[in-house]
Every structure is written in C-alpha cells, then in structure tokens.
Coordinates of all heavy atoms in Angstrom, one line a residue:
M1 N 84.7 74.9 88.3 CA 83.5 74.7 89.2 C 83.9 75.5 90.5 O 85.1 75.5 90.9 CB 83.4 73.2 89.6 CG 82.3 73.1 90.6 SD 82.0 71.3 90.9 CE 80.6 71.1 89.9
R2 N 82.9 76.2 91.0 CA 83.1 77.1 92.1 C 81.9 77.1 93.0 O 80.8 77.2 92.6 CB 83.4 78.5 91.6 CG 83.9 79.5 92.5 CD 84.1 80.8 91.6 NE 84.0 82.0 92.3 CZ 82.8 82.5 92.8 NH1 81.7 82.0 92.6 NH2 82.8 83.7 93.4
F3 N 82.2 77.0 94.3 CA 81.1 77.2 95.3 C 80.8 78.7 95.5 O 81.7 79.5 95.6 CB 81.5 76.6 96.6 CG 81.5 75.1 96.7 CD1 82.7 74.4 96.5 CD2 80.4 74.4 96.9 CE1 82.7 73.0 96.5 CE2 80.4 73.0 96.9 CZ 81.5 72.3 96.7
T4 N 79.6 79.1 95.6 CA 79.2 80.4 95.8 C 79.0 80.8 97.3 O 79.0 81.9 97.7 CB 78.0 80.9 95.0 OG1 76.9 80.0 95.4 CG2 78.2 80.7 93.5
C5 N 78.9 79.8 98.1 CA 78.8 80.0 99.6 C 80.2 79.8 100.1 O 81.1 79.3 99.5 CB 77.9 79.0 100.2 SG 78.3 77.2 100.0
K6 N 80.4 80.3 101.3 CA 81.7 80.2 102.0 C 82.0 78.7 102.3 O 81.2 78.0 102.8 CB 81.8 81.0 103.3 CG 83.1 81.0 103.9 CD 83.1 82.0 105.0 CE 84.5 81.9 105.6 NZ 84.8 83.0 106.5
M7 N 83.2 78.3 101.9 CA 83.6 76.9 102.1 C 85.0 76.9 102.8 O 85.9 77.6 102.4 CB 83.9 76.1 100.7 CG 82.6 75.8 100.0 SD 81.6 74.6 100.8 CE 82.5 73.1 100.5
F8 N 85.1 76.1 103.8 CA 86.4 75.9 104.5 C 86.7 74.4 104.3 O 86.2 73.5 105.0 CB 86.2 76.2 106.1 CG 87.5 76.2 106.8 CD1 88.4 77.2 106.6 CD2 87.8 75.1 107.6 CE1 89.7 77.1 107.3 CE2 89.0 75.1 108.3 CZ 89.9 76.1 108.1
H9 N 87.5 74.1 103.3 CA 87.8 72.8 102.9 C 89.2 72.7 102.2 O 89.6 73.7 101.6 CB 86.7 72.3 101.9 CG 86.8 70.9 101.5 ND1 87.8 70.4 100.6 CD2 86.0 69.8 101.9 CE1 87.6 69.1 100.5 NE2 86.5 68.8 101.3
P10 N 89.9 71.7 102.6 CA 91.3 71.7 102.0 C 91.4 71.7 100.5 O 92.4 72.2 100.0 CB 91.8 70.3 102.5 CG 91.1 70.0 103.7 CD 89.7 70.6 103.5
N11 N 90.4 71.3 99.7 CA 90.5 71.3 98.3 C 89.6 72.3 97.6 O 89.3 72.2 96.5 CB 90.1 69.9 97.8 CG 90.9 68.8 98.5 OD1 90.3 68.0 99.2 ND2 92.2 68.9 98.4
V12 N 89.3 73.4 98.4 CA 88.5 74.5 97.9 C 89.2 75.8 98.2 O 89.5 76.1 99.3 CB 87.1 74.6 98.4 CG1 86.3 75.8 97.9 CG2 86.4 73.3 98.1
Y13 N 89.6 76.6 97.2 CA 90.3 77.9 97.3 C 89.4 78.9 98.0 O 88.2 78.7 98.0 CB 90.7 78.4 95.9 CG 91.9 77.7 95.3 CD1 91.5 76.7 94.3 CD2 93.2 77.8 95.7 CE1 92.5 76.1 93.7 CE2 94.2 77.1 95.1 CZ 93.9 76.2 94.0 OH 94.9 75.5 93.5
E14 N 90.0 79.9 98.6 CA 89.2 80.9 99.3 C 88.1 81.5 98.4 O 87.1 81.9 98.9 CB 90.2 82.1 99.8 CG 91.1 81.7 100.8 CD 90.5 81.6 102.1 OE1 89.6 82.3 102.4 OE2 90.9 80.8 102.9
N15 N 88.3 81.6 97.1 CA 87.3 82.2 96.2 C 86.2 81.1 95.8 O 85.3 81.5 95.1 CB 87.9 82.7 94.9 CG 88.5 81.6 94.0 OD1 88.5 80.5 94.4 ND2 89.0 82.1 92.9
G16 N 86.2 79.9 96.4 CA 85.3 78.9 96.2 C 85.6 78.0 95.1 O 84.9 77.0 94.8
E17 N 86.7 78.2 94.3 CA 87.1 77.3 93.2 C 87.5 76.0 93.7 O 88.3 75.8 94.7 CB 88.2 78.0 92.4 CG 88.5 77.3 91.1 CD 89.6 78.0 90.3 OE1 89.6 79.3 90.3 OE2 90.4 77.4 89.8
V18 N 86.9 74.9 93.1 CA 87.3 73.5 93.5 C 88.6 73.1 92.9 O 88.8 73.3 91.6 CB 86.1 72.6 93.0 CG1 86.4 71.2 93.3 CG2 84.8 73.0 93.7
C19 N 89.4 72.4 93.6 CA 90.6 71.9 93.2 C 90.7 70.4 93.3 O 90.9 69.8 94.3 CB 91.8 72.5 94.0 SG 93.4 71.9 93.4
I20 N 90.2 69.8 92.2 CA 90.4 68.3 92.1 C 90.8 67.9 90.7 O 90.6 68.6 89.7 CB 89.0 67.6 92.4 CG1 87.9 68.1 91.5 CG2 88.6 67.7 93.8 CD1 86.6 67.3 91.6
S21 N 91.4 66.8 90.6 CA 92.1 66.3 89.4 C 91.2 66.4 88.1 O 91.6 66.8 87.1 CB 92.6 64.9 89.5 OG 93.5 64.8 90.5
I22 N 90.0 65.9 88.3 CA 89.0 65.7 87.2 C 88.7 67.1 86.5 O 88.3 67.2 85.4 CB 87.8 65.0 87.6 CG1 87.0 64.5 86.3 CG2 86.9 65.9 88.4 CD1 85.9 63.5 86.7
L23 N 89.0 68.2 87.3 CA 88.7 69.5 86.7 C 90.0 70.3 86.2 O 89.9 71.3 85.7 CB 87.9 70.4 87.7 CG 86.6 69.9 88.1 CD1 86.0 70.8 89.2 CD2 85.6 70.0 86.8
H24 N 91.2 69.6 86.4 CA 92.4 70.2 86.0 C 92.5 70.1 84.4 O 92.0 69.1 83.9 CB 93.6 69.6 86.6 CG 93.6 69.9 88.1 ND1 94.4 69.2 89.0 CD2 93.0 70.9 88.8 CE1 94.2 69.7 90.2 NE2 93.4 70.7 90.1
P25 N 93.2 71.0 83.8 CA 93.4 71.0 82.3 C 93.9 69.6 81.8 O 94.7 69.0 82.6 CB 94.4 72.1 82.1 CG 94.3 73.0 83.2 CD 94.0 72.1 84.4
P26 N 93.5 69.3 80.6 CA 94.0 68.0 80.0 C 95.5 67.9 79.9 O 96.2 69.0 79.9 CB 93.2 67.8 78.8 CG 92.9 69.3 78.4 CD 92.7 70.1 79.7
G27 N 96.0 66.7 79.8 CA 97.4 66.5 79.5 C 98.2 66.2 80.7 O 97.6 65.8 81.8
E28 N 99.5 66.2 80.6 CA 100.3 65.9 81.7 C 100.4 66.9 82.7 O 100.4 68.1 82.4 CB 101.8 65.5 81.1 CG 101.8 64.3 80.3 CD 101.4 63.0 80.9 OE1 101.7 62.8 82.1 OE2 100.7 62.3 80.3
D29 N 100.5 66.5 84.1 CA 100.6 67.5 85.1 C 102.0 68.0 85.2 O 103.0 67.1 85.3 CB 100.2 66.7 86.4 CG 100.3 67.6 87.6 OD1 100.5 68.8 87.5 OD2 100.2 67.0 88.7
P30 N 102.2 69.3 85.1 CA 103.7 69.8 85.2 C 104.3 69.5 86.5 O 105.5 69.4 86.6 CB 103.5 71.3 85.0 CG 102.0 71.6 85.1 CD 101.3 70.3 84.9
N31 N 103.5 69.2 87.6 CA 104.1 68.9 88.9 C 104.2 67.4 89.1 O 104.7 67.0 90.2 CB 103.2 69.5 90.0 CG 103.0 71.0 89.8 OD1 104.0 71.7 89.6 ND2 101.9 71.5 90.0
M32 N 103.9 66.7 88.1 CA 104.0 65.2 88.1 C 103.2 64.5 89.3 O 103.6 63.5 89.8 CB 105.4 64.8 88.3 CG 106.3 65.4 87.2 SD 106.3 64.7 85.6 CE 107.3 63.2 85.9
Y33 N 102.1 65.2 89.7 CA 101.3 64.7 90.9 C 100.2 63.8 90.4 O 99.8 62.9 91.0 CB 100.7 65.8 91.7 CG 100.0 65.5 92.9 CD1 100.7 65.0 94.0 CD2 98.6 65.6 93.0 CE1 99.9 64.6 95.1 CE2 97.9 65.2 94.1 CZ 98.6 64.7 95.2 OH 97.9 64.4 96.3
E34 N 99.6 64.2 89.2 CA 98.5 63.4 88.6 C 98.8 62.8 87.3 O 99.6 63.3 86.5 CB 97.3 64.4 88.4 CG 96.9 65.2 89.6 CD 96.0 66.4 89.2 OE1 96.1 66.9 88.0 OE2 95.3 66.9 90.1
S35 N 98.2 61.7 87.0 CA 98.4 61.1 85.7 C 97.3 61.8 84.7 O 96.3 62.4 85.2 CB 98.1 59.6 85.7 OG 96.7 59.4 85.8
S36 N 97.6 61.8 83.5 CA 96.8 62.5 82.5 C 95.4 61.9 82.5 O 94.4 62.5 82.2 CB 97.4 62.4 81.1 OG 97.6 61.2 80.7
S37 N 95.2 60.6 82.9 CA 93.9 60.0 82.8 C 93.0 60.5 84.0 O 91.8 60.3 84.0 CB 94.1 58.4 83.0 OG 94.6 58.1 84.2
E38 N 93.6 61.1 85.0 CA 92.9 61.6 86.2 C 92.3 63.0 85.8 O 91.5 63.6 86.6 CB 93.7 61.7 87.4 CG 94.2 60.4 87.9 CD 95.1 60.6 89.1 OE1 96.2 61.2 88.9 OE2 94.8 60.0 90.2
R39 N 92.9 63.7 84.8 CA 92.6 65.1 84.6 C 91.4 65.2 83.5 O 90.9 64.2 83.1 CB 93.8 65.8 84.0 CG 94.9 65.8 85.1 CD 96.3 66.1 84.5 NE 96.4 67.5 84.1 CZ 96.8 68.5 84.9 NH1 97.1 68.3 86.2 NH2 96.9 69.7 84.5
W40 N 91.0 66.5 83.4 CA 89.8 66.7 82.5 C 90.0 66.1 81.1 O 91.0 66.2 80.5 CB 89.6 68.2 82.3 CG 88.7 68.5 81.3 CD1 89.0 69.0 80.0 CD2 87.2 68.3 81.2 NE1 87.8 69.1 79.3 CE2 86.8 68.7 80.0 CE3 86.4 67.9 82.2 CZ2 85.4 68.7 79.7 CZ3 85.0 67.7 81.8 CH2 84.5 68.1 80.6
S41 N 88.9 65.6 80.6 CA 88.8 65.2 79.2 C 87.4 65.4 78.8 O 86.5 65.3 79.6 CB 89.3 63.8 78.9 OG 88.3 62.9 79.4
P42 N 87.0 65.5 77.4 CA 85.7 65.7 77.0 C 84.8 64.5 77.3 O 83.6 64.7 77.3 CB 85.9 65.9 75.5 CG 87.3 66.2 75.2 CD 88.1 65.7 76.4
V43 N 85.3 63.4 77.6 CA 84.5 62.2 77.8 C 84.0 62.2 79.3 O 83.1 61.4 79.6 CB 85.2 60.9 77.5 CG1 85.6 60.8 76.1 CG2 86.4 60.7 78.4
Q44 N 84.4 63.1 80.2 CA 83.9 63.1 81.6 C 82.5 63.6 81.5 O 82.1 64.6 80.9 CB 84.8 64.2 82.4 CG 86.2 64.0 82.4 CD 86.7 62.7 83.0 OE1 85.9 61.8 83.4 NE2 88.0 62.4 83.1
S45 N 81.6 62.9 82.2 CA 80.2 63.2 82.2 C 80.0 64.2 83.4 O 80.7 64.2 84.4 CB 79.4 62.0 82.4 OG 79.6 61.4 83.7
V46 N 78.9 64.9 83.4 CA 78.5 65.8 84.5 C 78.4 64.9 85.8 O 78.8 65.3 86.8 CB 77.2 66.6 84.2 CG1 76.7 67.3 85.4 CG2 77.5 67.5 83.0
E47 N 77.7 63.7 85.6 CA 77.5 62.8 86.7 C 78.9 62.5 87.4 O 79.0 62.5 88.6 CB 76.8 61.6 86.3 CG 76.6 60.6 87.4 CD 75.9 59.4 86.9 OE1 76.2 58.9 85.8 OE2 75.1 58.8 87.7
K48 N 79.9 62.1 86.6 CA 81.1 61.7 87.1 C 81.9 62.9 87.8 O 82.5 62.7 88.8 CB 82.1 61.2 86.0 CG 83.4 60.6 86.5 CD 84.1 60.0 85.4 CE 85.4 59.4 86.0 NZ 86.3 58.8 84.9
I49 N 81.7 64.1 87.2 CA 82.3 65.3 87.9 C 81.6 65.5 89.2 O 82.3 65.7 90.3 CB 82.3 66.4 87.0 CG1 83.1 66.3 85.7 CG2 82.7 67.7 87.7 CD1 83.0 67.2 84.6
L50 N 80.3 65.5 89.3 CA 79.6 65.8 90.5 C 79.9 64.7 91.5 O 80.0 65.0 92.8 CB 78.1 65.9 90.3 CG 77.6 67.1 89.5 CD1 76.2 67.1 89.2 CD2 78.1 68.4 90.2
L51 N 80.0 63.4 91.1 CA 80.4 62.4 92.1 C 81.8 62.6 92.6 O 82.0 62.4 93.8 CB 80.3 61.0 91.4 CG 78.9 60.5 91.2 CD1 78.9 59.2 90.3 CD2 78.2 60.2 92.5
S52 N 82.7 63.1 91.8 CA 84.0 63.4 92.2 C 84.1 64.6 93.3 O 84.7 64.5 94.3 CB 84.9 63.8 91.0 OG 85.1 62.7 90.2
V53 N 83.2 65.5 93.0 CA 83.2 66.6 94.0 C 82.5 66.1 95.3 O 83.0 66.5 96.4 CB 82.4 67.8 93.4 CG1 82.1 68.8 94.4 CG2 83.1 68.4 92.2
L54 N 81.5 65.3 95.2 CA 80.9 64.8 96.5 C 81.9 64.0 97.3 O 82.1 64.0 98.5 CB 79.7 64.0 96.2 CG 78.5 64.8 95.7 CD1 77.3 63.8 95.3 CD2 78.0 65.7 96.9
S55 N 82.7 63.2 96.6 CA 83.7 62.4 97.1 C 84.8 63.3 97.8 O 85.3 63.0 98.9 CB 84.3 61.4 96.1 OG 85.4 60.7 96.6
M56 N 85.2 64.3 97.1 CA 86.2 65.2 97.6 C 85.7 65.9 98.9 O 86.4 66.0 99.9 CB 86.5 66.4 96.6 CG 87.4 67.4 97.1 SD 87.1 69.0 96.3 CE 85.5 69.5 96.9
I57 N 84.5 66.3 99.0 CA 83.9 66.9 100.1 C 83.9 65.9 101.3 O 84.3 66.3 102.4 CB 82.4 67.4 99.9 CG1 82.5 68.6 98.9 CG2 81.8 67.8 101.2 CD1 81.1 69.0 98.4
A58 N 83.5 64.7 101.1 CA 83.5 63.7 102.1 C 84.9 63.2 102.6 O 85.1 63.0 103.7 CB 82.7 62.5 101.7
E59 N 85.8 63.2 101.6 CA 87.2 62.7 101.9 C 88.2 63.7 101.4 O 88.8 63.4 100.3 CB 87.4 61.3 101.3 CG 86.5 60.3 101.9 CD 86.6 58.9 101.3 OE1 87.8 58.6 100.9 OE2 85.6 58.2 101.2
P60 N 88.5 64.8 102.1 CA 89.4 65.8 101.6 C 90.8 65.2 101.4 O 91.2 64.3 102.1 CB 89.5 66.8 102.7 CG 88.3 66.6 103.5 CD 87.9 65.1 103.3
N61 N 91.5 65.7 100.4 CA 92.9 65.4 100.2 C 93.8 66.5 100.8 O 94.0 67.5 100.2 CB 93.2 65.2 98.6 CG 94.7 64.9 98.4 OD1 95.5 64.8 99.3 ND2 95.0 64.8 97.1
D62 N 94.2 66.3 102.0 CA 94.9 67.4 102.7 C 96.4 67.5 102.3 O 97.1 68.4 102.7 CB 94.8 67.2 104.2 CG 95.4 65.9 104.7 OD1 95.5 65.0 104.0 OD2 95.9 65.9 105.9
E63 N 96.9 66.5 101.4 CA 98.2 66.6 100.9 C 98.3 67.5 99.7 O 99.4 67.9 99.3 CB 98.7 65.2 100.5 CG 98.8 64.3 101.8 CD 99.3 62.9 101.3 OE1 99.6 62.7 100.2 OE2 99.2 62.0 102.2
S64 N 97.2 67.8 99.1 CA 97.2 68.7 97.9 C 96.3 69.9 98.2 O 95.3 70.0 97.5 CB 96.8 67.9 96.7 OG 96.7 68.7 95.6
G65 N 96.6 70.6 99.2 CA 95.6 71.6 99.7 C 95.5 72.9 98.9 O 96.5 73.5 98.6
A66 N 94.3 73.3 98.5 CA 94.1 74.6 97.9 C 93.9 75.6 98.9 O 94.3 76.8 98.8 CB 92.8 74.5 97.0
N67 N 93.5 75.1 100.1 CA 93.4 76.0 101.3 C 94.3 75.5 102.3 O 94.0 74.5 103.0 CB 91.9 76.1 101.8 CG 91.7 77.0 102.9 OD1 92.6 77.1 103.8 ND2 90.5 77.6 103.0
V68 N 95.5 76.1 102.5 CA 96.5 75.6 103.4 C 96.0 75.5 104.8 O 96.3 74.6 105.5 CB 97.8 76.4 103.2 CG1 98.9 76.0 104.2 CG2 98.3 76.3 101.8
D69 N 95.3 76.6 105.2 CA 94.8 76.6 106.6 C 93.9 75.5 106.9 O 94.0 74.8 107.9 CB 94.1 78.0 106.9 CG 95.1 79.1 106.9 OD1 96.3 78.9 107.2 OD2 94.6 80.2 106.7
A70 N 92.9 75.3 106.0 CA 91.9 74.2 106.1 C 92.7 72.8 106.2 O 92.4 71.9 107.0 CB 90.9 74.3 105.0
S71 N 93.7 72.7 105.3 CA 94.4 71.4 105.3 C 95.1 71.1 106.6 O 95.1 70.0 107.2 CB 95.5 71.4 104.2 OG 94.9 71.5 102.9
K72 N 95.8 72.2 107.1 CA 96.5 72.0 108.3 C 95.6 71.7 109.5 O 95.9 70.8 110.3 CB 97.3 73.4 108.6 CG 98.2 73.3 109.9 CD 99.0 74.5 110.0 CE 99.9 74.3 111.3 NZ 100.5 75.4 111.8
I73 N 94.5 72.5 109.6 CA 93.5 72.2 110.8 C 92.9 70.8 110.6 O 92.7 70.1 111.6 CB 92.5 73.4 110.8 CG1 93.2 74.7 111.3 CG2 91.4 73.0 111.8 CD1 92.4 75.9 111.1
F74 N 92.7 70.4 109.4 CA 92.0 69.1 109.1 C 92.9 68.0 109.6 O 92.5 67.1 110.2 CB 91.7 69.0 107.6 CG 91.1 67.6 107.2 CD1 89.8 67.4 107.3 CD2 91.9 66.6 106.7 CE1 89.2 66.2 107.0 CE2 91.4 65.4 106.4 CZ 90.0 65.2 106.5
R75 N 94.3 68.2 109.4 CA 95.2 67.2 109.8 C 95.4 67.2 111.3 O 95.6 66.2 111.9 CB 96.6 67.5 109.1 CG 96.9 66.6 108.0 CD 98.3 66.7 107.4 NE 98.9 68.1 107.4 CZ 98.8 68.9 106.4 NH1 98.2 68.5 105.3 NH2 99.3 70.1 106.4
E76 N 95.6 68.4 111.9 CA 96.0 68.6 113.2 C 95.0 68.7 114.3 O 95.2 68.4 115.5 CB 97.0 69.8 113.3 CG 98.3 69.6 112.5 CD 99.1 70.8 112.4 OE1 98.8 71.8 113.1 OE2 100.2 70.8 111.8
N77 N 93.8 69.1 113.9 CA 92.7 69.3 114.9 C 91.4 69.2 114.2 O 90.7 70.1 113.9 CB 92.9 70.8 115.5 CG 92.0 71.0 116.7 OD1 91.0 70.2 117.0 ND2 92.2 72.1 117.4
R78 N 91.0 67.9 114.1 CA 89.7 67.6 113.4 C 88.6 68.2 114.0 O 87.6 68.6 113.4 CB 89.6 66.1 113.2 CG 88.5 65.6 112.3 CD 88.8 66.0 110.8 NE 90.0 65.4 110.3 CZ 90.2 64.2 109.8 NH1 89.1 63.4 109.6 NH2 91.3 63.8 109.4
E79 N 88.5 68.2 115.4 CA 87.4 68.8 116.1 C 87.2 70.4 115.7 O 86.1 70.8 115.5 CB 87.6 68.7 117.6 CG 86.4 69.0 118.5 CD 86.7 68.6 119.9 OE1 87.1 67.4 120.2 OE2 86.5 69.5 120.8
E80 N 88.3 71.1 115.7 CA 88.2 72.4 115.3 C 87.8 72.6 113.8 O 87.0 73.5 113.4 CB 89.6 73.2 115.5 CG 89.7 74.6 115.0 CD 88.8 75.6 115.8 OE1 88.2 75.1 116.8 OE2 88.8 76.7 115.4
Y81 N 88.4 71.8 112.9 CA 88.0 71.8 111.6 C 86.4 71.7 111.4 O 85.7 72.4 110.7 CB 88.7 70.7 110.8 CG 88.2 70.6 109.4 CD1 88.7 71.4 108.3 CD2 87.3 69.6 109.0 CE1 88.3 71.3 107.0 CE2 86.9 69.4 107.7 CZ 87.4 70.3 106.7 OH 86.9 70.2 105.5
N82 N 85.9 70.6 112.1 CA 84.5 70.3 112.1 C 83.7 71.5 112.6 O 82.6 71.8 112.1 CB 84.1 69.0 112.8 CG 84.7 67.8 112.1 OD1 84.9 67.8 110.9 ND2 84.9 66.7 112.8
R83 N 84.1 72.2 113.7 CA 83.5 73.3 114.2 C 83.4 74.4 113.2 O 82.4 75.0 113.0 CB 84.2 73.8 115.5 CG 83.5 75.0 116.2 CD 84.3 75.6 117.2 NE 85.4 76.4 116.6 CZ 85.3 77.5 116.0 NH1 84.2 78.1 115.8 NH2 86.4 78.1 115.4
I84 N 84.5 74.7 112.5 CA 84.5 75.8 111.5 C 83.6 75.5 110.4 O 82.8 76.3 109.9 CB 85.9 76.0 111.0 CG1 86.8 76.6 112.1 CG2 85.9 77.0 109.8 CD1 88.3 76.6 111.8
V85 N 83.5 74.2 109.9 CA 82.7 73.8 108.8 C 81.2 74.0 109.3 O 80.4 74.5 108.5 CB 82.9 72.4 108.4 CG1 81.9 71.8 107.5 CG2 84.3 72.3 107.7
R86 N 80.9 73.5 110.5 CA 79.5 73.7 111.0 C 79.1 75.1 111.1 O 77.9 75.5 110.7 CB 79.4 73.0 112.4 CG 79.1 71.5 112.3 CD 78.6 71.0 113.7 NE 79.6 71.3 114.8 CZ 80.7 70.6 115.1 NH1 81.0 69.5 114.4 NH2 81.5 70.9 116.0
E87 N 80.0 76.0 111.4 CA 79.7 77.4 111.6 C 79.4 78.0 110.1 O 78.5 78.8 109.9 CB 80.8 78.2 112.2 CG 80.9 77.9 113.7 CD 79.6 78.3 114.5 OE1 79.0 79.4 114.2 OE2 79.2 77.5 115.3
N88 N 80.2 77.6 109.2 CA 80.0 78.0 107.8 C 78.6 77.6 107.3 O 77.9 78.3 106.6 CB 81.1 77.5 106.9 CG 82.4 78.4 107.0 OD1 82.4 79.4 107.6 ND2 83.4 77.8 106.5
V89 N 78.3 76.3 107.6 CA 77.0 75.8 107.1 C 75.8 76.6 107.8 O 74.9 77.0 107.1 CB 76.8 74.3 107.4 CG1 75.4 73.8 107.2 CG2 77.8 73.5 106.6
K90 N 75.9 76.9 109.1 CA 74.9 77.6 109.8 C 74.8 79.0 109.2 O 73.7 79.5 109.0 CB 75.2 77.7 111.3 CG 75.0 76.5 112.0 CD 75.4 76.7 113.5 CE 75.3 75.4 114.3 NZ 75.7 75.6 115.7
A91 N 75.9 79.6 108.9 CA 75.9 81.0 108.3 C 75.2 81.0 106.9 O 74.4 81.9 106.6 CB 77.3 81.6 108.3
T92 N 75.5 80.0 106.1 CA 75.0 79.9 104.8 C 73.4 79.6 104.9 O 72.8 80.2 104.0 CB 75.6 78.7 104.0 OG1 77.0 78.9 103.9 CG2 75.0 78.5 102.7
L93 N 73.0 78.9 105.8 CA 71.6 78.6 106.0 C 70.8 79.8 106.8 O 69.7 79.7 107.0 CB 71.4 77.3 106.8 CG 71.8 76.1 106.0 CD1 71.7 74.8 106.8 CD2 71.1 75.9 104.7
G94 N 71.6 80.8 107.2 CA 71.1 81.8 108.0 C 70.7 81.5 109.4 O 69.7 82.0 109.9
L95 N 71.4 80.5 110.0 CA 71.0 80.0 111.3 C 71.8 80.7 112.4 O 71.7 80.4 113.6 CB 71.1 78.5 111.4 CG 70.3 77.7 110.4 CD1 70.6 76.2 110.5 CD2 68.8 78.0 110.7
N96 N 72.7 81.6 112.0 CA 73.5 82.3 113.1 C 72.8 83.6 113.5 O 72.1 84.2 113.0 CB 74.9 82.6 112.5 CG 75.8 81.5 112.6 OD1 75.5 80.4 112.9 ND2 77.0 81.7 112.1

C-alpha cells in the first residue's frame, strides 16, 4: 500500500509506502519485533487493512519509524510535526 500524495508520517516511507505490521510479509519477523499473527495473511480483509491504516495515521508508532525525521519530530516537537503535516495537506489540496 502506498500513498500517492506527499506524506510526513513516522510510518510512511518517503516514497509513500506504508509500513505497518498487517502489510508485512507472512511468517516470523526476522527482527523479532512483530508476532506472525500481526503480519499479512490471506484472511485479512480489505476493511481490516484500511482500519489499520487509519489507526496508524491517527496514532503513529514512532518507535518503528519508516521516516526517521518524522519520527524524531513527532517525539520531540509535536507542534512542528503538526505544522509540517498541515502544510502537506494544504499543498495536496492546492491551497498553498
């Protein structure tokens, strides 16, 4: 799963690719961070995946950052993080 608009989020890579457990390859996590039950399986519904992405957007996991800069700013300066996110949204909507 990948966002096509610019995203500044701890769990979204610079290229827009989403980094959440439910989308990681099935099986055991080589880094021992996730259990196999949290990772992709064919029984995951589109609804469950989308709900997971919405949850990730609302509550970033800054300990497992795909975007290190966003993770650091999210942790250390929430006001600046929110400003950057607002600017990205305005740019996406053509409001700048």
Side-chain angles (χ1 to χ4, degrees):
M1 176 175 265
R2 189 174 152 293
F3 287 98
T4 57
C5 60
K6 185 171 180 166
M7 289 289 290
F8 188 75
H9 190 281
N11 308 117
V12 179
Y13 290 100
E14 291 284 328
N15 69 357
E17 189 176 321
V18 175
C19 180
I20 56 173
S21 301
I22 198 169
L23 295 176
H24 291 165
E28 294 301 318
D29 178 10
N31 300 318
M32 310 280 283
Y33 184 74
E34 305 163 335
S35 72
S36 59
S37 64
E38 296 175 303
R39 297 166 70 88
W40 167 254
S41 76
V43 298
Q44 307 292 5
S45 67
V46 173
E47 179 183 37
K48 185 173 181 184
I49 292 168
L50 292 175
L51 286 172
S52 294
V53 171
L54 289 173
S55 177
M56 174 209 72
I57 290 170
E59 297 178 32
N61 177 0
D62 63 334
E63 293 178 11
S64 176
N67 182 327
V68 176
D69 292 336
S71 294
K72 184 175 182 194
I73 294 171
F74 180 81
R75 258 192 318 272
E76 296 175 2
N77 189 345
R78 192 67 59 89
E79 194 172 301
E80 175 66 4
Y81 174 83
N82 290 338
R83 185 195 65 75
I84 293 168
V85 170
R86 276 193 304 275
E87 290 301 315
N88 283 346
V89 169
K90 286 178 185 177
T92 298
L93 297 174
L95 301 175
N96 280 1

